[in-house]
Amino acid sequence: MYDTVEPNVIDDEMLRNAVEEQGPREEAGHIAKMEGISFKDVTSLRLDFKNILKIDNLWQFHILTKLQLDNNIIEKIQGLDTLVHLVWLDLSFNNIEVIEGLSALTRLEDLSLHNNRISVLENMDRLKNLQVLSIGNNNLTSLENLIYLRQFQQLRTLNLSGNPLSEDEEYKLFVAAHLPDLVYLDFRLIDDNIRDIANVKYQYSIEEMNHNETLERVKREKEEQDERELDKHKAAYVENLNGPFLFEGMYVEDVEGSRLSSLPAVAELVESYRTKCTELCQNIFQYGLNHHEKREAEMAVFNECLQEAVTENQEAGAKKIQEFQSKNYELLYELSQITDQQILDAKSLQYSQDVAQLMDALLNLEIQLVDQLEEIIKEYERNIGELVSTFLETVQGLMAQVRDLENQHHEKLLELCINMLEQVLKGELDEDMTDELRALFVDKDTIINAVSASHDIHMLKIDNREDELVTKINNWATDLIQKVHQEELRRNRKRVAEINTYVDHLRDELDNFDILEQI
């Protein structure tokens, strides 16, 4: 029915008109219209019956919780990523074919996609707070697709009427069995009798489904826990050092070393190396976690001291402002009543002097705070530097032990391989040799080069892991202190601007005798 009508674009004019139409009425509405309503303050927006084809330009609504886009000609769900506070969304009576573009709306509770062209329930996995879903009059045909809705544990109301699947004779029983927490289906309460029949009919399939979902949930929780643990290890710069990962990484690109390890005599040597290397890595790992806690504690103490100093200074400033207001509130009123120009000038001068004194007092307080915070930051910088230095000294000492271990392993391996070379040349180890291994034991130079190449690869892996750790913690310390200085600079500028703005306001009051507004 929209084919003969030109589609509309969501532009600023449409948005302003919509906001004004839905804003306050009468005198309040007139004032709001004159002064303008900021989009960032709007919580509810109606854009229904606007002949909109494309969702766009809604990023200006910072705290929107309710959005109506029903009865348009929208074909694609898009442009909603910034509306993270949205709780209620109506996209009914459009031309939407695919559910998409909703992943950012994690707070959404009520979603209407009624009367569109949707054939599959999908792409809503992140809508964990969904309580109401209306998707009637679409093209849903598969009852099995409804199993997708089992993940929404808060879902209580579901409308599917008008879809082909709702004509299936098993429809109500299937929904009642597979969505046990659902209360209303197609605007009707699911009665206990229907639910009992459904549970009996689908008992075995539901039991299997529950079992599989439990296994999947346990697996997902384990993965999430592992991910959280890994994030913690990364924050301590010791990820993948709580096991044989570094050792195993040495052999990923070490072709010759891997081949030699297949020999029984070498395998025993390698296993001993693996055990000792893993133990050293575990020591680095545990020390890293413990030291990370110390850094976190130092940061917490610093932030507490910083906030305490700022709060104390703010309270002192507020006290001076309060003293000024107590002294000069009546003076401003007197100025509005005085008719004698000489007295008026004297009182005005007194007020101006008081304002200047207040400004000096507030700026002096800010200067004191800047000096105080500078000392706190310097001490923090020293403490962080000492922590990082201690950390690196210990970790690099442990890494040196890993290198020593690799050197010892290299020497033993080289000695073992040279001895084996004599046996190979005598034909005493033919049964243990593959063609690839035999190619390494053709002469002394070849086997020495192979063992040395393996050693170089191992040392490079160790060096790279140490360099990575050193670089990351040094960058962390540099970025941390830089951020502290930047935040203090922003705080200082903001505070000075606040003081100037407040003082300008006081001077404007004197110039305009704006007593009523002040009251």
Side-chain angles (χ1 to χ4, degrees):
M1 61 179 175
Y2 295 106
D3 293 346
T4 59
V5 182
E6 189 71 21
N8 283 329
V9 177
I10 302 179
D11 55 18
D12 283 353
E13 182 180 358
M14 177 186 288
L15 294 175
R16 278 195 303 272
N17 291 337
V19 170
E20 289 173 2
E21 289 172 4
Q22 299 154 45
R25 301 296 180 184
E26 298 178 349
E27 182 62 24
H30 177 70
I31 294 173
K33 188 171 182 179
M34 292 291 292
E35 296 182 352
I37 300 175
S38 176
F39 291 166
K40 65 183 180 63
D41 297 325
V42 175
T43 59
S44 179
L45 181 64
R46 287 183 53 189
L47 294 172
D48 52 337
F49 295 96
K50 302 292 185 185
N51 206 38
I52 296 168
L53 177 63
K54 181 182 178 182
I55 305 172
D56 196 9
N57 211 28
L58 296 178
W59 55 268
Q60 305 172 81
F61 295 85
H62 296 183
I63 59 172
L64 200 65
T65 59
K66 182 176 181 180
L67 176 61
Q68 285 183 246
L69 285 165
D70 57 285
N71 290 280
N72 286 293
I73 52 174
I74 297 168
E75 298 178 351
K76 183 180 178 66
I77 304 175
Q78 59 185 356
L80 301 176
D81 292 346
T82 60
L83 306 182
V84 294
H85 298 284
L86 216 56
V87 174
W88 192 94
L89 175 62
D90 188 352
L91 287 165
S92 60
F93 294 91
N94 280 287
N95 299 327
I96 299 167
E97 296 184 0
V98 178
I99 301 175
E100 58 187 340
L102 299 173
S103 59
L105 310 184
T106 56
R107 299 186 184 185
L108 203 62
E109 297 178 3
D110 193 317
L111 173 62
S112 179
L113 293 165
H114 187 80
N115 211 102
N116 278 283
R117 302 173 182 177
I118 297 166
S119 57
V120 179
L121 293 172
E122 59 184 346
N123 301 325
M124 296 188 292
D125 302 56
R126 299 194 63 188
L127 308 186
K128 299 303 182 184
N129 292 313
L130 196 62
Q131 299 177 18
V132 178
L133 176 61
S134 178
I135 194 166
N137 286 6
N138 276 276
N139 300 328
L140 300 174
T141 59
S142 170
L143 288 177
E144 294 295 324
N145 186 212
L146 299 181
I147 295 175
Y148 177 81
L149 299 177
R150 284 174 63 84
Q151 64 183 295
F152 304 109
Q153 298 180 3
Q154 305 299 322
L155 188 63
R156 297 294 180 266
T157 301
L158 176 63
N159 173 30
L160 293 164
S161 61
N163 283 284
L165 58 76
S166 65
E167 301 299 322
D168 192 306
E169 59 182 13
E170 302 295 331
Y171 165 60
K172 289 185 179 179
L173 293 178
F174 188 92
V175 173
H178 289 83
L179 301 177
D181 295 322
L182 198 66
V183 178
Y184 296 96
L185 174 63
D186 300 340
F187 311 106
R188 292 177 179 268
L189 183 70
I190 301 176
D191 61 61
D192 293 338
N193 183 48
I194 290 290
R195 206 179 294 279
D196 291 341
I197 296 172
N199 290 337
V200 172
K201 180 176 180 61
Y202 292 97
Q203 176 182 356
Y204 297 110
S205 62
I206 292 297
E207 287 178 354
E208 181 180 1
M209 193 175 297
N210 286 335
H211 176 70
N212 292 336
E213 288 174 349
T214 299
L215 294 178
E216 183 63 30
R217 184 175 62 256
V218 170
K219 177 184 176 183
R220 186 171 60 253
E221 289 174 352
K222 177 63 168 57
E223 290 174 350
E224 291 173 353
Q225 181 182 355
D226 290 345
E227 188 173 343
R228 287 193 297 271
E229 284 294 309
L230 181 58
D231 289 340
K232 179 181 177 182
H233 301 165
K234 287 180 178 179
Y237 312 112
V238 291
E239 69 274 15
N240 299 326
L241 288 174
N242 56 329
F245 305 106
L246 178 60
F247 174 83
E248 291 173 353
M250 297 178 189
Y251 285 88
V252 171
E253 300 173 5
D254 181 11
V255 178
E256 285 80 3
S258 297
R259 290 173 181 172
L260 290 170
S261 298
S262 65
L263 292 169
V266 177
E268 184 178 346
L269 182 65
V270 170
E271 186 56 35
S272 174
Y273 178 27
R274 174 192 179 98
T275 301
K276 294 176 182 177
C277 180
T278 301
E279 183 179 347
L280 280 172
C281 288
Q282 188 66 43
N283 291 341
I284 296 172
F285 173 78
Q286 194 57 54
Y287 176 77
L289 289 186
N290 293 339
H291 202 272
H292 176 64
E293 291 181 0
K294 291 182 179 180
R295 296 196 298 270
E296 290 288 305
E298 179 64 32
M299 292 167 64
V301 170
F302 166 73
N303 288 325
E304 184 178 349
C305 291
L306 199 72
Q307 189 56 50
E308 184 179 334
V310 171
T311 301
E312 183 179 339
N313 189 273
Q314 287 176 341
E315 289 174 353
K319 183 178 180 181
K320 289 189 177 297
I321 291 174
Q322 186 176 12
E323 291 172 353
F324 170 85
Q325 290 176 338
S326 298
K327 178 182 178 182
N328 290 281
Y329 181 81
E330 292 184 2
L331 177 59
L332 273 177
Y333 181 75
E334 289 177 16
L335 288 173
S336 67
Q337 306 299 317
I338 296 173
T339 57
D340 188 305
Q341 188 61 45
Q342 187 174 0
I343 298 175
L344 181 62
D345 291 343
K347 293 286 187 180
S348 296
L349 178 60
Q350 178 188 339
Y351 183 84
S352 296
Q353 291 173 342
D354 288 346
V355 170
Q357 289 176 1
L358 175 64
M359 183 176 185
D360 289 341
L362 294 177
L363 289 176
N364 284 333
L365 278 174
E366 176 57 22
I367 291 171
Q368 293 172 18
L369 179 60
V370 168
D371 292 339
Q372 185 180 0
L373 295 184
E374 185 178 352
E375 288 301 316
I376 293 174
I377 292 171
K378 282 182 179 179
E379 183 180 358
Y380 181 52
E381 193 168 354
R382 285 193 297 269
N383 292 344
I384 290 296
E386 290 174 3
L387 282 172
V388 170
S389 178
T390 301
F391 175 76
L392 288 177
E393 183 179 351
T394 302
V395 169
Q396 288 179 309
L398 291 169
M399 277 294 188
Q401 293 182 42
V402 176
R403 267 190 289 272
D404 290 342
L405 195 61
E406 167 57 31
N407 286 327
Q408 294 168 16
H409 171 73
H410 170 64
E411 291 173 1
K412 292 177 182 178
L413 178 61
L414 185 59
E415 182 182 357
L416 180 61
C417 287
I418 290 174
N419 291 335
M420 291 175 63
L421 176 62
E422 296 178 5
Q423 295 176 283
V424 171
L425 295 177
K426 293 177 182 179
E428 297 175 359
L429 292 176
D430 284 350
E431 67 277 6
D432 294 327
M433 288 285 184
T434 63
D435 291 341
E436 292 175 336
L437 273 172
R438 196 173 286 108
L440 298 178
F441 286 91
V442 293
D443 55 43
K444 188 174 181 179
D445 287 341
T446 303
I447 192 62
I448 290 176
N449 289 338
V451 174
S452 297
S454 173
H455 176 58
D456 290 342
I457 290 172
H458 293 188
M459 291 297 283
L460 182 62
K461 287 289 183 181
I462 297 169
D463 290 345
N464 286 345
R465 185 63 184 90
E466 181 180 351
D467 289 344
E468 179 186 5
L469 187 150
V470 170
T471 300
K472 283 183 176 180
I473 193 166
N474 280 330
N475 287 343
W476 167 80
T478 300
D479 293 344
L480 178 69
I481 299 303
Q482 185 179 30
K483 183 179 179 182
V484 167
H485 283 293
Q486 289 173 345
E487 288 180 349
E488 166 53 14
L489 181 61
R490 281 195 294 268
R491 185 209 62 77
N492 171 249
R493 289 176 175 174
K494 181 181 178 184
R495 179 55 178 164
V496 171
E498 288 173 349
I499 293 171
N500 286 325
T501 300
Y502 178 65
V503 169
D504 288 344
H505 169 69
L506 294 177
R507 287 169 176 163
D508 287 343
E509 281 190 326
L510 178 61
D511 293 338
N512 301 324
F513 294 112
D514 196 1
I515 308 302
L516 292 177
E517 185 175 331
Q518 174 68 17
I519 293 172

